[in-house]
Every structure is written in C-alpha cells, then in structure tokens.
Amino acid sequence: MSTTAVTPSGRAFISDNMAGASPEIVRAVAAAAAGNAPPYGNDPFTDSARRKLSEIFERDVDIFPVSTGTAANCLALAALTPPWGSVLCHSDSHINNDECGAPEFFTDGAKLVTVPGDESKIDPDALGRAVRRRAGDVHSVQPSVLSISQATESGSVYTLDETRRLGVIAKDAGLRVHMDGARFANALDHLDATPAEMTWKAGIDVLSFGATKNGAMTADAIVSFDPALATELAFRAKRAGQLASKMRFHAAQLDAYLTDDLWLGNARQANAMAARRGDGLKAIPGTELLGSPQANLLFCRLPRHTTEQLLAEGYAFYHDRWAPGIVRLVTSFTHTPDDIDQLLDAVRRHTP
C-alpha cells in the first residue's frame, strides 16, 4: 500500500474509514458544543439517539455509545461469555484478524474458535458441529457465543434466512449471538429488510452498530436487545474507559446519523458506487472479481503492472495483503460516479 498524507477522495479506496464525516454530523457536534449538558450519557442527545434506535429496531433497546468498533465488539462479547467460554466466528472475521487480541483481553481469556464457510459466511453444518464440540468437558473451553459479521469482511451479506438459521442453531445449543455490524447499514441496504428482521427477530442478542465507516466522526454503539445485559454492559463500558464524560459528542453524532435516514442514504451511495465499480471491472479483460461482493467492498485480481501504475497515479488501496495480485477496493458515501469512472479508465489504460 502506498499513500500520501492526504489522498484525494476520488482516489482513496483503502477503507471507508478514509472518508470524512457527513456535514450533518459535523454540524451536530458543533451544536452540542454550545452551552452545557449533563455528563456521562445523561444528556438529551443520548436520550434522542436511544429513542431513535428503539424506533428503528421496533422495540426498546439499551445503547452504549463508544469511540471505536473494537470497543463495541469486545465489550459486547465480554458481556456474553465467561472467561472459560469460546466465541465461534469465521476465520475471516474482524475479531479474529484485526483486533490485536482485544476480544481475549476484554473477555478475560475467552477463546476465539473459527468456523469455516464460503465467502466469509459461517456454514450452518459446520456451526452445528462446533456448538457441540467438547460441550460439558471441563478440560475445554465451552461454546458460549456465536459472532457473525454483517456485512462480512469480503463484502458478502448473510440473507435473513441464513442469519435466522445460524441463530436457531446457536440458541438451541444455549449460545448467545452477537453481530459485528461495522457495515450494518450497507448490509441493510443490500437486503432491503428492516433492522428488526436483520437482528433480534433473527436471534441477535447484541449488535455492534457501526457508524464511523458510514459518515460519523468517532462514534459507534453497542445496541443490546436483552434488558438483562444493561447493567453489566454499563459497568464494562466504564471499566474500559468508554463512558465518556462528554458523551453528548458521541451521541450527537449518532443522533444526526439516524436523522432523516442519513445513515441509509450514505450506505446506499457507497453500495451503488461499489456496484458500478464491480460492473466496470468485469468488463475489463485481464481483471478478475473474487467472490460475490454485495456491500461496499470487493476483492479482485489485477496484473502486477496495473497495480503499480494505479499506485503511481496516486490511487490508494490494499494490495498483496491476502495473496499476490489480490487487491481490495472499498467505496464510501463520498465517492461519486465520476470517481468510479476515472478509476475504471485508469485500470483499462494500465491493463495489458
């Protein structure tokens, strides 16, 4: 990967984290800075975000604004598993590859156990075996939590039936279910479903609700559908340094994110640009799309010369991280059709 200090928006495809914040969210943070408000989440911004999330999910929910997706994932998992438990997840999952041991740290040692499946999605038959593996054996960690990513790290999306089936398998074996929703809005746009259908109605107990990748500045949230977890999550958030004294600045971002469907509009834009890019790449001889991207990121195989020339022109993206010749391209809500068309033109010009 080669980047400059500031990559122009139209050439930034490393991650949706490269994008700035939606103007509506910036204005909301500025508004929250005026005057005084009660600390530690007792402010009107947090109350408003909680009400909006309860409306969106069609039931009362407990929310815990946090500063990172890592905090959301790991605090959620810590509330769902004992230290001698195991978290069943896909080998491609973010918690398995990109959290620097944070899940094990926050759970006081619970073990991540990977479950296979195509396109970064857990296979139900493999999960059925995993939930029974050495259950009751005091010499082994005990299957305690299923964690699924929606959308996945390869850009695929679980269908509602797939999520429900995995949820049933987990619940029948006594496991709780967590969803890593770093790109929750992107998956929701693809499925054209309701948030309730994609979560608690499919067996999800706790959701890591991502906002930072989709227009927020520094805010994600833990959303709990089980009232019995509220006290533990509150104490764990405080103990982890995630109970911000000026919580209103996190909450103001979430509140604006949820206002007038900004979060859905941003995801729709990112997904549409990814689809435009995928369709364009498929038409270029010498390139190869990998998997079936359904959200805002895709993997493809490019000739070495093509990759080198794109980097030389100032394009920024991950390459050769997964295998030689493999490139990951991620779109955000800031990308435009012109940005995508210019990228495709560059690929055509530099592909032998």
Side-chain angles (χ1 to χ4, degrees), residues 226-314:
D226 183 353
L229 296 172
T231 298
E232 181 172 353
L233 281 167
F235 277 102
R236 286 190 177 277
K238 171 60 179 177
R239 187 169 179 261
Q242 290 295 321
L243 180 62
S245 57
K246 295 185 179 180
M247 185 67 80
R248 67 184 185 273
F249 292 112
H250 286 342
Q253 295 178 60
L254 295 170
D255 190 46
Y257 182 65
L258 300 167
T259 298
D260 297 329
D261 288 339
L262 174 64
W263 65 301
L264 296 176
N266 283 358
R268 196 171 295 122
Q269 176 69 12
N271 284 4
M273 295 304 97
R276 186 184 188 96
R277 177 189 54 199
D279 290 342
L281 287 172
K282 284 189 290 188
I284 300 175
T287 69
E288 177 189 1
L289 259 64
L290 305 177
S292 302
Q294 297 166 317
N296 64 318
L297 69 164
L298 63 78
F299 289 80
C300 63
R301 192 184 307 276
L302 297 180
R304 173 69 61 184
H305 173 79
T306 304
T307 297
E308 292 174 349
Q309 292 302 308
L310 291 174
L311 295 172
E313 287 192 11

Side-chain angles (χ1 to χ4, degrees), residues 29-62:
V29 172
N36 297 306
Y40 302 112
N42 297 305
D43 57 87
F45 303 96
T46 303
D47 287 342
S48 180
R50 183 180 297 108
R51 286 195 302 272
K52 287 177 181 177
L53 281 167
S54 293
E55 291 172 3
I56 285 168
F57 286 103
E58 304 173 40
R59 61 178 291 171
D60 288 339
V61 297
D62 294 302

